[in-house]
Amino acid sequence: MSDAAVSAPPGRSSAEVVAWLRARGVYVALGLLILFNLAFTKHFATTGTLKLNLIQVTPIVIVSLGMAMVIGTAGIDLSVGSVMALSSALVPIYLRGYNPWVSVIMCIIAGAVVGLINGVMIAIVGIQPIVATLGTLVAVHGMALVFAHGKLTEFFNSFYNTVGSGNIGPSFARVSVRILTMLVLIAVVGVIVRRSTFGRRLVAVGGNRQASVLAGLPVRSTIITVYMLCSILAAVAGVLETARSGAGNPGKLGNLMELSAITAVVVGGTPLTGGRVKILGTCFAALFLLLLGATLIRQNVPQPATLMIQAVIIVAAVFFQRERGTR
């Protein structure tokens, strides 16, 4: 599942070192940011801080996993935040008189349906991904608000309390349910992308769709499946965030999540032109962006400046990808 070895072999020329840094820039940047915090942030090197960061980055990583697969096919999905909002609206509804697992399953089914609609519009109807998913972004978010009657719905359920803030495992090695879910999904998506026939088709479609068609690959079904997986992962992220807050809040949950996910994917090394998927890079990029935002806040950097810094990082990541592609 690993993208590439992180250590550079000795004896490289300066040009090769620069190329190596470009290919692994997110790891270098994250390492430098961690060193900065170790030096200037109190209580940074504690298990509590590590756990808190991993808990906070969980929804971004999970959504970014799906986004990485979509972008790997040279597509885009702007509806992931709305799918999270839909999950937030559905959880309280299906908790009324149903087993908690029913609400989880219904959220996953709803996500799969949204992904199916996206995939059909893109792969069969021929609508541009950005247009198709922009439409579902608006429609699904509106649907979520209708289901929730436009208001926050609080609930208490022991199952969701455990999912949102509980730990499992033996007393000597207890781990957060959220973190464990994230790690399992990273492993599953990594295997799908790196080790399965479907993963190879995904990359082939993104690299050259016309050639994939001529080679007899199931291009349409591959694209539809990718969008369904992306929406399912967004639905899972929505369930986890709803469980953590203990309330259905589709008016706020998932807002701008699509931008966070796209940023993590691009900074992590997956080109917007498709043909390559960097799962590990995406995960580390999500952690880097979260930690960067927290670091800037602790350093009393104004919010507008924080957004500008993040924008520069995105542009730089896209520029370096283009430079690698032209060499």
Side-chain angles (χ1 to χ4, degrees), residues 43-54:
H43 312 298
F44 181 78
T46 63
T47 55
T49 300
L50 174 61
K51 182 178 179 180
L52 178 61
N53 286 326
L54 291 178

Side-chain angles (χ1 to χ4, degrees), residues 208-219:
N208 191 322
R209 182 169 178 176
Q210 187 60 36
S212 299
V213 172
L214 295 175
L217 297 180
V219 173

Side-chain angles (χ1 to χ4, degrees), residues 103-144:
S103 61
V104 175
I105 293 171
M106 292 307 298
C107 289
I108 291 174
I109 291 174
V113 170
V114 174
L116 176 63
I117 293 172
N118 284 335
V120 168
M121 286 194 296
I122 293 164
I124 297 179
V125 181
I127 301 175
Q128 290 291 329
I130 192 170
V131 176
T133 58
L134 180 61
T136 50
L137 178 157
V138 176
V140 173
H141 193 256
M143 187 183 303

Side-chain angles (χ1 to χ4, degrees), residues 52-63:
L52 178 61
N53 286 326
L54 291 178
I55 287 174
Q56 290 177 338
V57 83
T58 292
I60 302 175
V61 168
I62 293 175
V63 175

Side-chain angles (χ1 to χ4, degrees), residues 206-284:
N208 191 322
R209 182 169 178 176
Q210 187 60 36
S212 299
V213 172
L214 295 175
L217 297 180
V219 173
R220 289 182 174 180
S221 63
T222 298
I223 292 174
I224 291 173
T225 303
V226 164
Y227 279 91
M228 289 181 68
L229 289 174
C230 183
S231 290
I232 288 172
L233 288 168
V236 171
V239 170
L240 291 177
E241 284 297 276
T242 302
R244 187 184 183 193
S245 64
N249 189 12
K252 292 185 177 180
L253 186 65
N255 286 353
L256 299 181
M257 179 57 75
E258 59 278 356
L259 299 182
S260 298
I262 293 169
T263 302
V265 173
V266 172
V267 174
T270 299
L272 290 172
T273 51
R276 189 165 69 244
V277 180
K278 297 289 187 180
I279 295 300
L280 194 59
T282 295
C283 297
F284 276 92

